[in-house]
Amino acid sequence: MSASLAEIRNLSVSYGKGASQGFALDGLDLDIRQGRRLAVIGESGSGKSTLALALAGLLPLEAQFRGEIRWPGLAHPPMVGRDIGLVFQDPGSSLNPVLTIGEQVAEGAVRHLGLDWCGAHRNALALLERVRIPDPQVAFDAYPHQFSGGQRQRIAIASAIAARPRLLIVDEPTSALDMVVQAEIVALLEELVREAGMTLIFITHDIALASGFADDIAVFQQARLVEHGVARAVLTEPVHAYTKRLLSAQIDFSTPRLINEVADV
Ligand SMILES: Nc1ncnc2c1ncn2[C@@H]1O[C@H](COP(=O)(O)OP(=O)(O)O)[C@@H](O)[C@H]1O
Ligand SMILES: [Mg+2]
């Protein structure tokens, strides 16, 4: 078993007061293991994004928070951009429309790796090339709206990993994209995570998407973690009725590398 990067203990997040109080997460215990790819699955409203925001320290002010998140492997409390890379469903929420692509991809390396602007420029060009943006030199001076949705998501990924974070959290990063682009983005994330030895949390409502690459799967239902284990076990011998329901509504898991096969087309 690899060591824990994060240990979540009895974490509850709620909104509202009295009769209108609603739990987004309810008594969560979960270890995020170093170097593993964890898929977080559950229907809309089950608390998946709340988990991402809690780990990133970005819960809104109105959120009521109880419990603890420990980071045994980090010397300091984690900082988004430096220790944690975040990518959201809509690259519009990760990318600033009025800054050039180059400024946004270079920024993390200037701020967190201490590179000068020249070094960060070179670093950004290499990253854009790595995420397969055509003509990085031209892309560097362009703005987000000049790219397709899939390319914007690649740029958001480049920006999120620019400072070489230990943990990459991607929240429904492909939900707004068509199937082929989805598969390409998943394949890219897999490569980047493997190369850098990053820990990945991949949030999705799509269990089929997760099944192609996840080491571990955590299933959420109505603010609670209802199942957690090694992916193959969860997919082939689910214990919880909700996981069984999710699986029966989806694909045939006797062909587990489906996503990669799609990506190779
Ligand atoms: N800022 C907020 N104010 C009030 N309720 C919220 C807020 N953010 C999330 N919630 C509620 O918390 C629950 C979990 O939300 P979320 O974590 O976004 O779910 P998911 O990402 O799985 O769709 C939902 O019922 C949602 O309405
Ligand atoms: Mg969400």
Side-chain angles (χ1 to χ4, degrees):
M1 249 328 175
S2 56
S4 294
L5 183 63
E7 296 171 348
I8 301 167
R9 292 293 175 269
N10 198 21
L11 174 66
S12 293
V13 178
S14 64
Y15 292 96
K17 289 240 172 341
S20 66
Q21 185 180 29
F23 280 86
L25 283 178
D26 190 359
L28 174 65
D29 286 302
L30 179 66
D31 283 8
I32 309 297
R33 301 238 163 237
Q34 280 184 31
R36 306 274 294 176
R37 297 165 294 189
L38 172 69
V40 172
I41 298 173
E43 65 201 357
S44 180
S46 55
K48 306 183 300 296
S49 295
T50 302
L51 169 62
L53 294 174
L55 284 166
L58 294 176
L59 284 170
L61 286 176
E62 67 269 25
Q64 297 152 76
F65 177 107
R66 206 185 58 218
E68 197 184 356
I69 302 179
R70 298 192 289 257
W71 298 88
L74 296 180
H76 306 283
M79 190 189 283
V80 170
R82 185 189 66 191
D83 312 286
I84 301 177
L86 268 183
V87 176
F88 299 103
Q89 172 173 344
D90 171 15
S93 351
S94 322
L95 295 175
N96 186 332
V98 299
L99 293 180
T100 66
I101 297 308
E103 285 171 300
Q104 300 187 58
V105 178
E107 188 202 358
V110 172
R111 191 181 296 185
H112 301 299
L113 297 182
L115 296 190
D116 60 16
W117 189 246
C118 192
H121 182 275
R122 273 199 307 277
N123 189 54
L125 288 179
L127 273 167
L128 289 171
E129 177 139 31
R130 182 65 197 84
V131 300
R132 300 194 199 96
I133 293 296
D135 213 339
Q137 295 275 4
V138 174
F140 193 92
D141 293 316
Y143 291 86
H145 74 268
Q146 294 172 273
F147 296 87
S148 70
Q151 286 176 333
R152 278 204 292 273
Q153 201 55 295
R154 289 167 185 279
I155 294 163
I157 292 167
S159 168
I161 63 170
R164 303 183 199 126
R166 300 269 301 276
L167 173 63
L168 181 62
I169 303 176
V170 297
D171 189 353
E172 311 255 10
T174 63
S175 303
L177 305 171
D178 69 49
M179 286 289 287
V180 174
V181 180
Q182 258 190 28
E184 288 170 359
I185 298 275
V186 170
L188 174 67
L189 282 168
E190 242 192 317
E191 287 167 22
L192 294 172
V193 162
R194 195 167 351 101
E195 278 167 21
M198 269 183 295
T199 304
L200 176 70
I201 299 179
F202 191 109
I203 296 175
T204 179
H205 62 272
D206 182 349
I207 199 165
L209 191 66
S211 72
F213 69 93
D215 297 314
D216 303 307
I217 292 183
V219 182
F220 284 76
Q221 183 193 28
Q222 294 177 357
R224 286 173 188 257
L225 177 68
V226 295
E227 183 143 6
H228 177 220
V230 174
R232 179 156 289 277
V234 172
L235 293 170
T236 55
E237 290 168 58
V239 176
H240 198 274
Y242 177 67
T243 315
K244 290 180 188 165
R245 224 163 55 235
L246 278 180
L247 284 167
S248 64
Q250 297 280 346
I251 56 163
D252 172 8
F253 288 98
S254 57
T255 50
R257 303 304 288 185
L258 180 78
I259 300 300
N260 289 342
E261 285 159 24
V262 173
D264 289 340
V265 172

